[in-house]
Each structure stands twice: as C-alpha cells, then as structure tokens.
Amino acid sequence: MLNGFRLAHFLDGNFDLEPIEIAFIKHEIDDRTAAISGLRLELQRLESERENYSKLLAPLRRNAIPPELLGQIFKFTLSTSDTTQEKQVNVLCLVCRRWRDIALATPSLWASVDLGSIRAPVAGLNFKRIKTWLARSGIVPKSLKFAGYHDSTSRCPIPTHELVDLLVDGGPFGDLSLECGHGACLANLFDQTYSARTMNTTSLSTHSLNLVFEEHLSESFTCIWTILRRFPALRRLSLDFPWFDSSWVIPEDLPLANLKSLTLALDWPFQLLLRLFRRSPNLETLVMDYKQLARDPSEVFPTDDEQVLLPKLRTLELRHMVSGSADTQILRILRVPSLQTLEIRYGPDGDYMDEMNNGQVSDLNSNIISLTQGPHRVTDLQHLVIQALPISSSESLRPTLSALPTLSHLTFDSFEADSTLFENADYLGESKLMPSLKILKILNVPEVGEFNYKDVLNFLMERREAATEEAPDSVEEAELTIACESKYEGMKLTKDKHFVGQLAKEGVKVNITLV
C-alpha cells in the first residue's frame, strides 16, 4: 500500500512507476486540485467581503469629507456637465439624506435659473417654485437666463409682471442673460423693475449682462442704451444683434468705464465700434464675433489719428470671419500694449471658404504686425490662435511669426495649408523662428491634404539639435490631431513612434491623435 513516505521516495529517485502507483499519484493530484479550487473560492469570498467592508469606510460613508468641501465638489461637478443645473442638483439631492442636506446648505448650487425658451402664450413657468429655488441661495449673487420668442402677431411672450417681481424680490442678480425679438420688451422689463424699487439695488448689483435681439428694428437699437444706463456697475457685457442700419448712433454718455470683458456679435462699422471702445477704457478681454457677415465694401476705415488706446486689454479674439474680409483691419486702430493672447478665427469649421489670394494674406500679416509697431505697441504677445484660415501655404504666415519673438504658445486649428513653414524653418541665430516657443498645437489637420505632420516632427527635432547653451530650445510640448477617415494614416503613425520617443528623450512631449 502506497503512503506519503513511499511517494517521497519516488520524488527523490528516478524509478519506473507501476500502474497502481500511477493511479495513486493521479488520485493525489485530483485531491489537491479540488482542495486548491475550494481555497480559491474561499479566497474570493473573503476578498469580496473585505471589499464590501472597505466600502463602508469610504470617506463619503464615514463623513470624512467636510460638508463645505463636498459642497464645493458638487459645485465643480455642475460646471463640467452639459445637463441643466436644475436637473443635476435634483439628482444630487436624491442620492442620500446627507447629500441632500449638504446641497441645501450650499447656496451657490441654487443661485442659477434658466427659464429656457418662452413662447406665447406662457405656460409651464411656476414662479413660486422658482422663487423658492433661488431663496436657498441666500445673499449669493444669482444668475437668470431666458429667451423670449415673439409669435406671428408680434405679441411679446415675456411675463413682465412675474419677472419684475422675481427681479425685485428674488435678487440680487449678478448675471443676466436675456434674449428677445424686440429690444423694447426688455427695456420695458427693466423700466418696471426700476420703478418697483425705491432704490435701484438690482441694477447696481448686476455685473454681467448678455443681450440678444433678433429683429432688425431701430427702436431695439435705441433701447440698448436705455437698458445699459440701468447697469452702471457692469463688468461683463455681451451684445448680439442683427445687421447694422446706417441710421443708428451710439450715445456718448454710456456708463461703461467699469467693463472688464466685452463680447460683440454684430457687423457694426469700425467708426461705431471705436465710439464704444472709447467708453470702455478698462477692458481686459474683447471678443468680436463677425457672424460671417461681409463688411460693407464702401465703408471708410478710421485713420491712425483715430486709434483707440485700451491699456489693460490682455485677450483679443476675432471670430467667424469670412475669407478675405477686412475685419482684421481693426488691429490697426487698436493700441493694446498689454495684449498677451490673440485669436483669429475664420469659419465656422467645415464650411467651404474661398482661398485667400496673395494680397489678402499680405494684408492679414500686415494687420497683425501693426500691433507690434508704433506707440503703445505690443511687446509680450504669448498666445496666438489661428483657426480655419483659408490659405494654401503655411509659409505665407512667416512674416507674422517672425514679428512675434515672445510667442510661447502657437495653435493652428482646422489647418488645411501645407507644412512648408516647418519644412523651411530657421533654427539658428537672430532669424530663428519663434525662439520662445513652448507649446505647439496643430489641430484637426485633414488626412488628405498637403500638410505633412512629419515636417513638424523634424522641425522639433532639428530645433532641439541646434540648441546651444546661449540659445536653448524652449519647446516643451507638441500636440497634433489628424482628421482621419481611414486606417492608412494610423498605420503610418505607428512607424513614426521612434520620432516621438526620441523627442521625449530630449524633453519634448509629443501627442499625435487621430480624430
């Protein structure tokens, strides 16, 4: 009969096994296999129990996160989601009693109301519930947004009486975003709000105002200034209006001295814009949205003597321009010595635009370069974004980039030009292109086109190799995204991993993504 001693004897020597010995050994193996399986099941059960017990000790379950911090986490979550704030807050309150109590004790979660689109006749707006919602925010400045759409009879859908009551008793409102077909409707709303108060505290506390008018009415234009005079403390203003009428005039007494940010979505002539800018000397951010509207070819552009100084402006964005337009001429009449970010966006993306001719590209370069010339010139521009520029050769942008030696962040978005700018770049001496460049982004390059991303990789590598102790290379990061519709480009990318690896060793982080 076999036993453990006999089995150990077999393990120590080189013996032939008899059939009965083989059967015994197989039986022992099966026993141990079954034992191992049982132990594994027991181990899985114990690990599962341990995980469940660990969950009970999570910070949220044992109240380890202070309520104030959890409230801030809730607030951050709301700001990163596309879902309406009301829905998100309601979801948070349904998780558990503690979360509901913390949400109710976090005033900023209840400080925003979006009434959505209001159409006549008004239905579904429960102003009593809206007031209750806003009351939970206490004295925190509140945000109100709505869009009123007139019906075929031009009847105003805005429930003026209820909104006046809300503005008077539900405030203070720091941020108002209001859209309506006729400016007179909104002017009437604020007139009644003003009359309902002995002191205009609602107006004085509002620091951000967004107005959108749909209809092309001269009285709407006049109403703009009536409304703005109600808000002398404005710091942010956004205006979106239909096409311009030559009879419109901007008054000289607008209270805009406190403005820090101004967004204009309109096609006003430069002369009218200058009058608005002169009333806003403390601007730090200016966004001009041309809405792809062609500028009047007969417009008389301001002269150098009519330039406007905006000494604190740090960010300037021109967006939705049409190909070959004179919109960038505005750069010639603005003196912005503190400018650090310039964004020039054509488009929108995906729309066909006629390619700019040599003269138009030369004008664009000249207009940008004019910022760096003359009195109160730009000396520290660090960020440049150019989007959907309809040119064939990237080399044509060399004059602009050569005039901006302080540029540290360059972004080309929806770039359909070739890559000759990077293919023929200078790396040495005073002619070195973009000597201060740190971050390079080339986004949404079409798979089929003249742009070769390898030229960018070579550009980065040769810059690094040409660097010296006296003239180091400052590039830290490069991002390229390629609009790819096939697997071919992806196959090519895998072959270029060694480029990316080499650059990484040299201290340049490169990210190439197919989108």
Side-chain angles (χ1 to χ4, degrees):
M1 182 177 181
L2 294 177
N3 53 30
F5 176 79
R6 178 64 173 165
L7 183 61
H9 177 68
F10 286 145
L11 295 174
D12 293 336
N14 187 16
F15 303 101
D16 293 333
L17 299 177
E18 299 294 332
I20 189 173
E21 294 170 336
I22 293 174
F24 173 78
I25 293 173
K26 287 183 176 181
H27 175 73
E28 294 297 312
I29 291 174
D30 291 342
D31 281 351
R32 283 155 180 76
T33 300
I36 290 172
S37 297
L39 291 173
R40 283 175 176 166
L41 290 174
E42 178 66 12
L43 179 62
Q44 291 176 0
R45 183 184 67 80
L46 292 173
E47 287 179 339
S48 178
E49 290 179 355
R50 182 183 64 179
E51 183 177 353
N52 290 334
Y53 288 137
S54 297
K55 291 178 180 177
L56 297 177
L57 295 178
L60 290 177
R61 294 296 296 269
R62 55 190 173 92
N63 298 339
I65 299 180
E68 297 81 6
L69 178 57
L70 191 55
Q72 291 300 313
I73 293 173
F74 290 166
K75 183 179 178 181
F76 176 77
T77 302
L78 300 186
S79 66
T80 58
S81 174
D82 294 332
T83 308
T84 64
Q85 181 162 331
E86 181 179 359
K87 289 182 179 179
Q88 294 179 79
V89 173
N90 286 334
V91 169
L92 289 174
C93 290
L94 291 174
V95 172
C96 63
R97 178 177 296 178
R98 181 168 183 264
W99 279 31
R100 182 179 184 276
D101 292 341
I102 291 175
L104 289 171
T106 306
S108 58
L109 297 181
W110 310 92
S112 178
V113 168
D114 185 351
L115 303 182
S117 300
I118 304 175
R119 300 180 186 273
V122 178
L125 289 179
N126 187 335
F127 279 91
K128 183 177 179 180
R129 182 176 179 274
I130 293 170
K131 281 188 175 182
T132 301
W133 179 283
L134 290 173
R136 293 169 180 158
S137 64
I139 61 173
V140 172
K142 299 161 183 58
S143 171
L144 176 64
K145 180 179 180 180
F146 68 79
Y149 295 96
H150 287 234
D151 60 15
S152 57
T153 64
S154 293
R155 179 174 48 163
C156 181
I158 297 177
T160 303
H161 177 75
E162 291 84 353
L163 282 173
V164 167
D165 190 35
L166 181 64
L167 290 171
V168 171
D169 297 330
F173 285 93
D175 187 348
L176 296 175
S177 181
L178 315 177
E179 179 177 349
C180 191
H182 298 171
C185 302
L186 297 180
N188 179 52
L189 172 65
F190 290 120
D191 286 344
Q192 292 193 37
T193 302
Y194 183 83
S195 299
R197 285 182 172 271
T198 55
M199 291 185 61
N200 192 13
T201 54
T202 297
S203 298
L204 292 175
S205 63
T206 299
H207 56 74
S208 178
L209 181 63
N210 175 37
L211 296 177
V212 180
F213 297 155
E214 291 184 325
E215 301 296 331
H216 181 269
L217 298 173
S218 57
E219 56 266 31
S220 291
F221 189 79
T222 304
C223 290
I224 301 169
W225 321 125
T226 303
I227 293 172
L228 291 183
R229 290 190 179 95
R230 300 292 191 197
F231 299 93
L234 277 182
R235 296 198 297 272
R236 292 192 298 271
L237 175 63
S238 177
L239 302 176
D240 186 344
F241 302 134
W243 62 93
F244 175 74
D245 188 294
S246 58
S247 64
W248 294 353
V249 177
I250 294 180
E252 295 284 356
D253 59 344
L254 292 177
L256 303 178
N258 292 315
L259 272 188
K260 303 294 185 183
S261 175
L262 176 62
T263 299
L264 301 174
L266 35 79
D267 67 335
W268 295 356
F270 288 151
Q271 291 286 4
L272 207 64
L273 292 174
L274 291 185
R275 181 171 294 184
L276 199 59
F277 296 156
R278 290 191 181 99
R279 304 301 303 170
S280 314
N282 294 307
L283 281 179
E284 297 176 0
T285 299
L286 174 61
V287 178
M288 296 295 305
D289 187 341
Y290 294 105
K291 301 197 293 189
Q292 290 195 287
L293 295 172
R295 187 163 292 281
D296 186 348
S298 65
E299 179 179 346
V300 178
F301 294 111
T303 64
D304 290 347
D305 295 335
E306 299 174 284
Q307 290 178 335
V308 175
L309 174 63
L310 298 175
K312 298 181 180 180
L313 194 74
R314 298 170 62 87
T315 299
L316 174 60
E317 179 181 351
L318 311 181
R319 64 169 70 150
H320 295 145
M321 295 186 293
V322 297
S323 174
S325 74
D327 293 328
T328 57
Q329 285 271 13
I330 197 170
L331 302 178
R332 290 186 170 277
I333 56 179
L334 291 179
R335 296 286 84 191
V336 285
S338 300
L339 190 68
Q340 293 191 343
T341 299
L342 175 63
E343 300 185 17
I344 298 179
R345 302 180 183 273
Y346 291 79
D349 299 342
D351 284 11
Y352 173 78
M353 289 186 294
D354 292 331
E355 184 178 316
M356 295 170 63
N357 59 41
N358 292 338
Q360 292 167 338
V361 177
S362 177
D363 288 343
L364 171 64
N365 280 317
S366 179
N367 292 336
I368 297 176
I369 294 172
S370 69
L371 291 169
T372 66
Q373 300 170 338
H376 305 295
R377 62 183 178 272
V378 174
T379 59
D380 192 27
L381 187 71
Q382 298 181 17
H383 298 251
L384 176 64
V385 178
I386 298 180
Q387 180 177 8
L389 179 64
I391 60 174
S392 59
S393 174
S394 60
E395 176 68 20
S396 60
L397 293 175
R398 180 180 294 274
T400 288
L401 298 178
S402 298
L404 303 173
T406 60
L407 195 66
S408 60
H409 293 67
L410 174 63
T411 300
F412 289 147
D413 195 353
S414 301
F415 203 58
E416 298 190 7
D418 61 26
S419 51
T420 51
L421 174 69
F422 301 97
E423 184 180 3
N424 304 321
D426 295 321
Y427 308 105
L428 298 172
E430 295 182 358
S431 63
K432 181 178 180 180
L433 191 67
M434 298 178 288
S436 304
L437 186 66
K438 293 182 178 180
I439 308 294
L440 174 63
K441 294 184 179 182
I442 303 176
L443 311 177
N444 302 307
V445 177
E447 174 188 7
V448 179
E450 299 298 322
F451 190 91
N452 186 352
Y453 68 87
K454 286 186 178 180
D455 289 335
V456 178
L457 298 179
N458 286 326
F459 165 76
L460 296 172
M461 182 60 72
E462 292 178 19
R463 277 181 66 108
R464 186 61 55 147
E465 292 174 351
T468 63
E469 195 170 308
E470 294 77 18
D473 179 32
S474 55
V475 175
E476 301 172 354
E477 182 179 344
E479 179 181 354
L480 293 90
T481 62
I482 301 173
C484 184
E485 297 180 1
S486 69
K487 296 181 180 179
Y488 176 66
E489 194 71 30
M491 294 171 61
K492 290 197 299 181
L493 283 179
T494 59
K495 298 178 182 179
D496 294 319
K497 285 185 176 179
H498 69 282
F499 270 103
V500 176
Q502 280 182 285
L503 287 166
K505 291 180 181 178
E506 295 291 335
V508 182
K509 179 183 177 182
V510 179
N511 183 27
I512 305 177
T513 307
L514 302 180
V515 295

